[in-house]
Amino acid sequence: MPSKSFYITSPIYYVNDIPHIGHAYTNIACDVIARFMRLDGMEVMFVTGTDEHGQKVQKASEKANVPTQQFVDNASQKFKEMNEILNISNDFFVRTSADWHKQSVIDAVRFMVEKGDIYLGKYCGWYAVRDEAFYAENEIKDGKAPTGAEVEWVEEPSYFFRLSNYQDKLLKFFDDNPSFIQPEGMRNEIINFVNQGLSDLSISRISFSWGIPMEKFEYSDSDGNKKVGFDADSATHIMYVWLDALLNYVSCLGYNSSNTSEKMHKYWPASVHVVGKDILRFHTIYWPAFLMSLNLELPKCVIAHGWWTNEGQKMSKSIGNVINPIFLVDKYNLDATRYYLMRGMSFGHDADFAQSMLINTVNVELCNKLGNLCQRTLMFIFKNLDGKIPNANSESLYEREEILKYSLNKFIEYKEHMQKYAISKALQSIVDIVYEANRYIDHEAPWVLKKTDIARMNEVLYTVCELIKHIAIMISPFIPDSAQKIWKQLGLEQSMSFDEIKKTIQCGNSIGKIEPIFSILE
Ligand code: MSP
């Protein structure tokens, strides 16, 4: 992958349900990282989408009494709408029911067959449709999966992937790449799981039809002998939905086994897969093993975030307490929702969602601190300086004003956090500048200096404008629309980028029209 390319993915979402804040959270987190990387000059590919095959989806469409293709078309559209409403800047939207995806998957799986990594056997064991996952006997507790999902006993012919062959290679890979799985605690869980021994993975089912059939095909082995792949009553074998779904990460780049895709050359291996902690096992064991089988490089890292609960309770359809992100945007506005989702959960940990916390966080940090800082500074400039950026020697200010040095250090800290995907820590670095800038203006009191020392007043106001500019750039991945409004109110016209941090604002420039950026939430 060229060094300027950056490829980030969200999970692709099951279409048996409508989008909720768990999905919104992951997509906003990916969006923040993607926007940050673009500001940093990277060529970003950010992909999200929908996971449309499998038993769970088929059952949901049957329950709704809608033809399955129509059902998935409608449901997938809901996820696209969610992305638009949340201002998600994805470059591509994958749908696993699309023909190009299916072609790419069939090509990949045939490659695995030809390599000898897939064989026909019989699966006898537990399966949870809700999780679309197989569970070993020792994982079943009180008749349920460790996730609490209902399980059913399955006994049927199945194709298997030789996962056991990859156990040692995976352990070596984890060892050689300590930052592959983040956070650290979850990495240890995965390593323990692999250390307990991996069984081969069942990768086809015959008990339902909604998915990619494993159709018979002919090929020549390395000695030129004619062979047949998927020769069992093949069209009845439907591909395991996780094999199909994980391959979306390369199908969307046009993967084919002859390696002719330009996008694959440009963006693979992925820089980061962002996932919820519940699906880490699929992404850090199965997916790397599939990739090894395909002779493809492994993603640079997989990061797992925690789960949102609702006022202390697990969210579920049956309890009826699932939070709809679109409802939040309607009620509180977009950037308030984006800000709180990023600020209210420390990345990698679980968090409880409470509307009172959203209101409080947004009112204190965005309205009272950031909004107020912009409003009072720019209003003062408007009233007292004819709306022009004050005259000050910007270079000497950067040498003399401790607060500007502080802010630049925080900028470095912020970048380091973001480069490690420590989103909450990065946001904290910005909040630190906002609080310090407020303290600075209170302490320097330009409204007093106006009567005693105009030159100093100009310096102070200029310094605060620079701080507001730093904040606008840094916070733009989190709340893009509001950051853009701040930028315009400062009178800046060039497009925002990290290079602008070092270019000082031109004295005498007119500031823009001043309007409140954030409104107090009730
Ligand atoms: N289709 C699979 C992913 C395939 S990726 C190749 C899937 N889909 S899902 O729709 O069930 O879940 C998608 C993501 O939503 C997961 O990362 C999961 O962790 C996340 N969340 C679901 N509920 C959540 C919360 N309550 N809180 C935060 N995220 C949660 O799994």
Side-chain angles (χ1 to χ4, degrees), residues 369-387:
K369 292 296 176 186
L370 178 54
N372 214 2
L373 176 73
C374 299
Q375 185 85 11
R376 57 181 170 153
T377 308
L378 296 175
M379 205 38 110
F380 191 88
I381 292 177
F382 176 76
K383 286 193 180 147
N384 298 290
L385 290 161
D386 202 17

Side-chain angles (χ1 to χ4, degrees), residues 10-17 20-26 50-52 56 79 130-132 241-242 244-249 274-280 282-283 305-310 314-315 345 350-351:
S10 80
I12 51 172
Y13 304 106
Y14 287 130
V15 287
N16 61 312
D17 208 354
H20 60 63
I21 60 160
H23 308 129
Y25 175 77
T26 319
T50 42
D51 189 352
E52 304 183 7
K56 174 153 88 167
F79 282 89
R130 193 187 83 186
D131 302 343
E132 295 284 17
V241 66
W242 270 100
D244 168 349
L246 286 163
L247 283 163
N248 96 85
Y249 298 133
V274 181
V275 299
K277 61 180 183 178
D278 53 315
I279 55 170
L280 196 57
F282 299 92
H283 283 83
H305 63 72
W307 269 51
W308 284 99
T309 50
N310 183 0
K314 188 174 159 48
M315 271 185 264
M345 177 181 267
D350 291 346

